[in-house]
């Protein structure tokens, strides 16, 4: 009887979960900055993150890439799922998280947009969201509190994490992403993604959309206009 070699192909979900489980930043940081790794800090984060990706990404489909900045303490910094706080994780995705309860304004906008797109199943079938620096960054304030920080807030911080970000973006692409056009959230974020792209030649085209936090916080009266703009861009209809 002949021997048969069976190769088990990893799904998109398996690849993302492997990426997240192995995430570690051990590089230098400027004084006053720290990195939070939710997968090490809370065992339930690993659990709900895996539930999410097996629910929406358990296939081998190619997806388009949407790039944020870096996770917030109250969104992916808790759930392990980009732009997803515990409220949306349970109410929209049906995945409760018992050890934490968070509300994050970017998550509100993203899930309103996802609903307008056709719902989470349809959206996540076509798109993958993550960040060039996929762990939360915090900085110490003058009053001694830890606050959210963006990777580009400090020049020394950006230079410290730049190589790690390029490596992370290359690993994201290897999951099975379409590199012909990438969608970048936030105009300042896009400036730095362009720098990385010039250095590493990652994407053919970069399309910039306003960041969800900016829309929700400063342009809430025009929220529907921004949702329509997202839908047109993501559908390739603009």
């Amino acid at each position: 009887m002949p021997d048969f070699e069976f190769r088990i192909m990893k799904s998109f979900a398996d690849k993302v979960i492997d990426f997240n489980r192995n995430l570690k930043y051990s590089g230098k940081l400027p004084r006053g900055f720290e990195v939070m790794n939710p997968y090490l800090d809370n065992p339930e984060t690993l659990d709900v993150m895996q539930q999410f990706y097996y629910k929406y990404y358990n296939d081998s489909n190619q997806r388009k890439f949407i790039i944020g900045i870096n996770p917030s303490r109250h969104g992916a910094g808790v759930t392990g799922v980009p732009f997803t706080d515990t409220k949306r994780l349970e109410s929209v995705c049906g995945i409760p998280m018992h050890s934490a309860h968070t509300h994050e304004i970017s998550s509100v906008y993203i899930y309103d947009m996802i609903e307008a797109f056709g719902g989470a199943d349809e959206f996540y079938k076509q798109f993958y969201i993550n960040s060039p620096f996929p762990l939360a960054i915090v900085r110490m304030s003058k009053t001694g509190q830890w606050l959210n920080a963006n990777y580009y807030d400090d020049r020394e911080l950006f230079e410290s994490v730049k190589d790690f970000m390029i490596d992370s973006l290359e690993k994201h692409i290897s999951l099975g992403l379409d590199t012909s056009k990438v969608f970048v959230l936030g105009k300042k974020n896009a400036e730095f993604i362009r720098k990385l792209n010039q250095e590493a030649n990652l994407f053919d085209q970069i399309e910039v959309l306003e960041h969800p936090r900016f829309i929700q916080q400063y342009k809430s009266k025009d929220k529907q206009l921004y949702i329509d703009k997202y839908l047109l861009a993501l559908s390739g209809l603009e």
Side-chain angles (χ1 to χ4, degrees), residues 33-221:
F33 290 95
E34 285 192 8
V35 167
M36 292 172 53
N37 189 332
Y39 309 111
L40 298 178
D41 296 339
N42 186 350
E44 193 182 11
T45 299
L46 266 178
D47 180 44
V48 298
M49 178 272 293
Q50 290 180 91
Q51 289 183 56
F52 174 85
Y53 285 106
Y54 279 132
K55 180 170 185 175
Y56 295 111
Y57 290 84
N58 200 22
D59 54 55
S60 298
N61 299 340
Q62 187 181 59
R63 287 172 169 84
K64 298 170 185 175
F65 194 10
I66 300 174
I67 300 181
I69 301 170
N70 43 265
S72 77
R73 294 174 300 152
H74 302 301
V78 172
T79 64
V81 180
F83 289 102
T84 304
D85 59 17
T86 62
K87 286 185 180 180
R88 261 45 62 173
L89 186 67
E90 182 168 5
S91 65
V92 179
C93 305
I95 303 171
M97 190 167 185
H98 304 290
S99 61
H101 300 281
T102 60
H103 173 87
E104 205 267 331
I105 64 171
S106 292
S107 184
V108 176
Y109 174 83
I110 283 291
Y111 277 89
D112 285 348
M113 182 274 295
I114 285 174
E115 182 180 1
F117 188 88
D121 287 324
E122 189 62 32
F123 182 82
Y124 288 124
K125 189 189 302 180
Q126 299 180 48
F127 296 96
Y128 171 76
I129 309 176
N130 217 303
S131 303
F133 193 91
L135 295 170
I137 303 174
V138 291
R139 62 178 176 85
M140 178 67 75
S141 71
K142 292 179 180 178
T143 58
Q145 293 179 306
W146 288 107
L147 304 174
N148 283 328
N150 299 319
Y151 71 81
Y152 54 64
D153 283 346
D154 179 275
R155 180 177 292 182
E156 187 181 349
L157 174 64
F158 173 68
E159 292 299 328
S160 297
V161 300
K162 185 179 76 169
D163 290 343
F164 180 83
M165 290 197 297
I166 290 174
D167 182 64
S168 293
L169 288 170
E170 289 174 341
K171 287 177 178 175
H172 287 313
I173 290 168
S174 72
L175 301 174
L177 296 178
D178 178 358
T179 58
S180 62
K181 178 189 280 190
V182 66
F183 300 92
V184 177
L185 307 185
K187 293 179 180 179
K188 190 167 184 180
N189 187 29
E191 291 176 21
F192 287 84
I193 296 299
R194 287 193 179 100
K195 291 179 183 179
L196 299 182
N197 197 45
Q198 287 172 357
E199 184 170 328
N201 200 21
L202 302 165
F203 311 108
D204 297 337
Q205 186 178 351
I206 293 174
E207 180 154 354
V208 185
L209 293 166
E210 286 78 6
H211 194 276
R213 183 178 184 86
F214 169 79
I215 297 168
Q216 194 73 16
Q217 190 165 349
Y218 300 108
K219 299 289 184 179
S220 58
K221 290 182 179 179

